[in-house]
Amino acid sequence: MTPPSSHLKDLDYSVVQQCMHCGLCLPTCPTYDATKLERNSPRGRIALMRAIADDRLEATKTFADEMYFCLGCLACMTACPAGVNYAELFEHARAEAEQSGVLNSPKRNVIRAFTLRWLFMDLNRLQLVGHILRLYQQLGLQTLVRRSGILRLLPKRLRELEAITPEVQAKFSADLIEPVTPAVGEKKHRVAMLVGCAQDLIFSDVNLDTVEVLARNGCEVVTPSDQHCCGSLHAHNGEWELAQRLARKNIDQFPPEKFDAIITNAGGCGSHLKHYAKLLAGDVNYEPRAHEWDRKVKDIHEWLAQIGITAPPAGAREQVVTYHESCHLCHGQKITTQPRQLLKGIPGVELVELFESNWCCGSAGIYNLTQPEMAGQLLRRKMEHIRSTRCTVVATGNPGCLLQIVNGAKEQGIDLRVVHPVTLLAEAYRDGKA
Ligand code: SF4
Ligand code: SF4
């Protein structure tokens, strides 16, 4: 399939003209809240997108910068009474920005070619980089470099990036999880497990917990070792054609007709994975299968609520937990009650509600890398609310949020455990040896 001539002009006009300018989304938009500028609001951004679709505006650098200042958090979609599909508009707007080339620079092109077109297109490459990073961290080189003061010679931005580099796991999912994990007891479902890309490098333990919880709840879990990225990183950064390629690979690897569900434990991935049919619209070989795929993709909280879980035995550890909602889980997938139900069902957990739990923490994919100032403001706001709960544990269902809050706690010197809800459930099963 050839890429469209202009993403916004070729987009279904009923999507482009849906906004009725009521402004109800404005108070929910973190960037508008920070600046109070119309152009930094959902309504302002949609007006810019429509002007391009109507041929009244060129895709300028100002337009592209605005699209990258948007977090893509989708809070505006939850607030919108007209059902504006901002997620679709946003992805096409960023693709339009990339297509126009207005942001091109040698440095940016090299970074994008290395990350989006090379590293995240083949997870063996990503794992190789992960192993190198792990060696750097474990052999003490990172500590040595940090102590030597050599980092002071780097530009401020690089120093900041170095400080938030996450610790890479000793083993990735392929080393921890069998290709097929049998159900514990009676097999009731057969599911596929997507291990993710960054998730696998940094949170392979969460993948293991997820598989364990699924197996304890009657699922046979298929987890092949050679998986692909879901493509959300590509779709959210204007690489439409690469996102399509990855979607086809995933459908080939996990034929949806062979599974009761295709499970993801990353809110950001799930929100994208559920829209492959839109991504592959017009592809006669894949679009029909993509519809079935979209129906079968389930976030882990959603799936566990659907099948009903075996209650963990009493006598588990006492802990005060608060829950931060990943934007793409609550706004993108409308999954809000299921994680709370799961947490409340764990013996010993006291769940304390977090003020503004569905307000973005600033992670937003790679937003904390590309827009550090705004991301930092959002993180400080989030940490203030977390502190006021007096919790010892923050649970959240997305790797980006996990990392962001871990960094926030580190920065502010707060002793906080940040975990995926499924990890708490897996621990409760293990504690009680259910
Ligand atoms: S996606 Fe988030 S940041 Fe972007 S316009 Fe909507 S509410 Fe604002
Ligand atoms: S996006 Fe929805 S809520 Fe926002 S101005 Fe348009 S119609 Fe109103």
Side-chain angles (χ1 to χ4, degrees):
M1 261 197 327
T2 48
S5 57
S6 156
H7 277 267
L8 287 171
K9 289 189 184 81
D10 292 353
L11 187 58
D12 180 350
Y13 200 67
S14 66
V15 178
V16 180
Q17 51 99 64
Q18 245 170 346
C19 175
M20 55 187 189
H21 322 296
C22 66
L24 286 174
C25 54
L26 267 58
T28 68
C29 173
T31 54
Y32 177 75
D33 183 70
T35 68
K36 299 289 184 282
L37 294 174
E38 176 71 13
R39 71 162 189 272
N40 301 147
S41 77
R43 185 174 61 186
R45 289 179 178 126
I46 294 168
L48 290 174
M49 295 174 200
R50 186 167 177 179
I52 289 184
D54 289 345
D55 241 339
R56 287 182 284 114
L57 187 77
E58 289 284 305
T60 58
K61 181 165 180 316
T62 310
F63 167 79
D65 284 342
E66 189 51 59
M67 296 309 124
Y68 277 96
F69 187 49
C70 169
L71 291 144
C73 69
L74 310 182
C76 48
M77 272 179 71
T78 299
C80 179
V84 168
N85 189 344
Y86 188 83
E88 197 174 354
L89 284 165
F90 167 74
E91 286 185 354
H92 284 276
R94 282 208 176 166
E96 180 86 30
E98 292 309 322
Q99 207 170 29
S100 70
V102 289
L103 293 176
N104 284 354
S105 74
K107 185 175 146 201
R108 187 174 189 272
N109 294 351
V110 168
I111 293 173
R112 284 178 67 89
F114 175 69
T115 52
L116 297 174
R117 290 182 211 121
W118 189 78
L119 200 56
F120 285 89
M121 288 307 287
D122 180 341
L123 295 187
N124 289 318
R125 295 171 191 156
L126 186 68
Q127 290 186 0
L128 180 66
V129 172
H131 283 303
I132 295 169
L133 195 55
R134 168 90 188 157
L135 278 180
Y136 169 73
Q137 291 171 339
Q138 294 305 305
L139 294 178
L141 290 173
Q142 188 174 44
T143 318
L144 211 64
V145 167
R146 284 179 177 174
R147 281 195 192 142
S148 72
I150 204 170
L151 291 172
R152 281 200 295 271
L153 301 174
L154 293 176
K156 182 171 173 273
R157 188 67 206 112
L158 281 181
R159 283 202 312 272
E160 286 167 357
L161 281 180
E162 201 280 339
I164 59 168
T165 313
E167 195 173 319
V168 176
Q169 293 270 316
K171 289 182 175 180
F172 303 149
S173 300
D175 305 314
L176 297 171
I177 304 168
E178 291 297 321
V180 179
T181 305
V184 176
E186 188 198 344
K187 173 183 154 184
K188 297 178 192 148
H189 314 278
R190 183 170 191 265
V191 303
M193 168 70 194
L194 303 177
V195 296
C197 50
Q199 165 83 13
D200 188 22
L201 257 57
I202 307 159
F203 298 112
S204 53
D205 52 338
V206 178
N207 286 338
L208 182 63
D209 293 337
T210 307
V211 169
E212 198 177 312
V213 164
L214 285 165
R216 282 177 187 267
N217 285 287
C219 299
E220 178 186 78
V221 191
V222 179
T223 318
S225 58
D226 55 338
Q227 300 198 20
H228 308 284
C229 171
C230 69
S232 67
L233 191 62
H234 303 81
H236 295 162
N237 287 282
E239 292 292 349
W240 195 256
E241 200 265 328
L242 296 181
Q244 287 177 320
R245 240 193 272 170
L246 289 166
R248 291 189 193 102
K249 284 186 184 189
N250 276 312
I251 293 175
D252 285 340
Q253 184 167 40
F254 299 103
E257 61 281 1
K258 295 201 173 153
F259 299 99
D260 297 318
I262 298 157
I263 305 294
T264 171
N265 55 17
C269 302
S271 182
H272 174 72
L273 285 159
K274 288 179 175 178
H275 295 104
Y276 273 6
K278 275 234 152 84
L279 185 66
L280 298 172
D283 182 329
V284 286
N285 294 320
Y286 283 90
E287 190 189 340
R289 297 172 73 203
H291 282 289
E292 184 167 6
W293 167 278
D294 290 357
R295 280 194 301 276
K296 295 273 175 82
V297 171
K298 301 283 173 197
D299 175 77
I300 182 66
H301 307 94
E302 181 184 21
W303 176 245
L304 292 175
Q306 186 177 322
I307 62 175
I309 61 167
T310 309
R317 54 192 101 171
E318 300 285 318
Q319 45 198 336
V320 180
V321 179
T322 198
Y323 175 61
H324 160 68
E325 307 194 64
S326 135
C327 295
H328 282 242
L329 201 53
C330 67
H331 301 305
Q333 301 181 60
K334 309 296 178 219
I335 294 173
T336 56
T337 53
Q338 300 92 326
R340 290 180 168 90
Q341 266 171 21
L342 185 151
L343 290 167
K344 281 181 190 161
I346 300 174
V349 165
E350 182 195 339
L351 182 65
V352 182
E353 271 301 322
L354 178 65
F355 182 62
E356 290 187 347
S357 64
N358 64 0
W359 192 266
C360 184
C361 64
S363 164
I366 53 168
Y367 193 89
N368 56 349
L369 306 182
T370 58
Q371 306 278 347
E373 213 168 289
M374 183 70 210
Q377 268 185 42
L378 290 169
L379 178 58
R380 285 190 288 280
R381 180 173 179 150
K382 181 63 64 183
M383 295 312 298
E384 205 181 301
H385 295 325
I386 290 174
R387 283 182 101 120
S388 70
T389 64
R390 303 191 179 280
C391 68
T392 50
V393 180
V394 178
T396 186
N398 188 52
C401 308
L402 270 160
L403 280 179
Q404 179 81 338
I405 296 172
V406 164
N407 284 328
K410 221 189 281 175
E411 203 180 278
Q412 299 194 6
I414 312 173
D415 187 15
L416 202 61
R417 185 171 181 224
V418 191
V419 287
H420 195 292
V422 89
T423 294
L424 296 179
L425 180 59
E427 287 173 353
Y429 283 138
R430 280 179 216 136
D431 286 352
K433 296 186 179 57

